[in-house]
Amino acid sequence: VKSARADYMSGSTVWTFSNGFTVIYKRMDTGGRMYYNLALNEGFSSIRDLEKGEGGYISDQFFLSKIGQMTASDFLDCLNAEGLSMDAHVGLTYMMLSGSTPDDKLELMINAMLAALYKRTPDTEAFDYYASGESLALTNRKGSREDRTVAIDSIICKDYNYSPRKSLSTISSDIQEKAERYFLSQSQKTNDGILVLLGNVNETELKKLLLKYADCFKTTDKAF
């Protein structure tokens, strides 16, 4: 641990490890579960070759991959069987990997996060199935309030490519490649963000567990 301090405003503890990885732990009664949120700077607006209307699809791409040699759906099913949850969201300027776990499965939670970040390969079969479904959904959305909002946005902000709204009738064939390139970049600089933990476990034991795995989170000398 490079530094440890108390945040008196929130009542939390902040640990920064030697590689720059930072964790905030807030101890409070959460009914035997630990809630986690790995928040990283830079969202889909950092994908420079993103086409108009593709921003809303980037979050979905995180679990259209194989993780640890299994499909993402099987990976999530395995987590659910152990009482864990995991969700990914990519906004305009940030990315979040969040969920919760039973207090006695903290090590499994950390290993699941590491697998989701670093043991990824594109799953073209899952993507093709997803793309066909999304195209149908957008077709069925025609004339809806959301469809009108997208149309208005395209008129008012016609040169803006980073809307969070899904607005393509078909998804470009290379969006999965763009998304995976983005996820890889994010995973290499976890010191350009923070891991927030909320739960009720012994602080010393939690710090020991984090010390065991902090170096597994890849960081850069300078976060961009």
Side-chain angles (χ1 to χ4, degrees):
V1 177
K2 183 179 179 180
S3 68
R5 64 180 177 86
D7 186 290
Y8 296 104
M9 184 68 71
S10 64
S12 58
T13 301
V14 183
W15 294 303
T16 301
F17 297 88
S18 57
N19 63 348
F21 186 61
T22 300
V23 178
I24 293 181
Y25 172 51
K26 168 70 173 178
R27 189 168 188 176
M28 63 182 297
D29 185 10
T30 52
R33 295 191 70 82
M34 177 72 78
Y35 293 85
Y36 67 93
N37 189 337
L38 177 63
L40 302 174
N41 286 325
E42 295 195 349
F44 60 75
S45 62
S46 65
I47 306 175
R48 299 307 177 193
D49 55 347
L50 202 66
E51 295 181 16
K52 187 184 295 292
E54 287 186 331
Y57 293 103
I58 299 301
S59 293
D60 298 345
Q61 305 307 306
F62 192 84
F63 290 118
L64 294 178
S65 60
K66 290 186 178 179
I67 301 174
Q69 303 301 314
M70 67 176 72
T71 65
S73 59
D74 286 345
F75 173 76
L76 293 174
D77 285 345
C78 288
L79 296 187
N80 289 335
E82 296 292 337
L84 280 75
S85 66
M86 182 179 289
D87 185 41
H89 178 72
V90 180
L92 184 67
T93 59
Y94 64 89
M95 170 183 166
M96 294 193 299
L97 189 62
S98 59
S100 67
T101 178
D103 288 345
D104 60 350
K105 300 288 179 66
L106 294 179
E107 191 162 10
L108 178 59
M109 175 201 77
I110 293 177
N111 276 290
M113 290 175 61
L114 291 170
L117 288 171
Y118 302 114
K119 297 183 179 179
R120 311 174 52 82
T121 54
D123 187 341
T124 55
E125 184 176 341
F127 174 79
D128 290 343
Y129 181 79
Y130 162 85
S132 62
E134 284 295 311
S135 296
L136 180 60
L138 286 174
T139 299
N140 292 336
R141 196 186 70 183
K142 286 185 177 180
S144 67
R145 180 177 179 179
E146 177 69 11
D147 193 46
R148 293 194 296 271
T149 301
V150 170
I152 292 170
D153 282 354
S154 67
I155 294 171
I156 297 175
C157 309
K158 62 180 179 179
D159 296 324
Y160 185 62
N161 288 350
Y162 297 100
S163 169
R165 302 181 188 278
K166 298 177 179 180
S167 59
L168 294 181
S169 57
T170 55
I171 305 170
S172 65
S173 59
D174 62 350
I175 189 174
Q176 189 176 38
E177 178 184 339
K178 295 174 186 177
E180 285 301 323
R181 189 172 68 240
Y182 163 77
F183 294 136
L184 176 61
S185 173
Q186 291 292 85
S187 70
Q188 304 303 304
K189 52 182 182 179
T190 57
N191 55 326
D192 193 16
I194 198 161
L195 174 62
V196 179
L197 300 174
L198 180 66
N200 186 20
V201 297
N202 181 275
E203 188 171 298
T204 300
E205 293 302 314
L206 177 59
K207 184 170 69 172
K208 287 181 180 179
L209 181 63
L210 293 171
L211 280 166
K212 180 178 178 181
Y213 287 99
D215 280 346
C216 297
F217 290 89
K218 298 180 181 180
T219 59
T220 57
D221 290 336
K222 181 178 180 181
F224 294 95

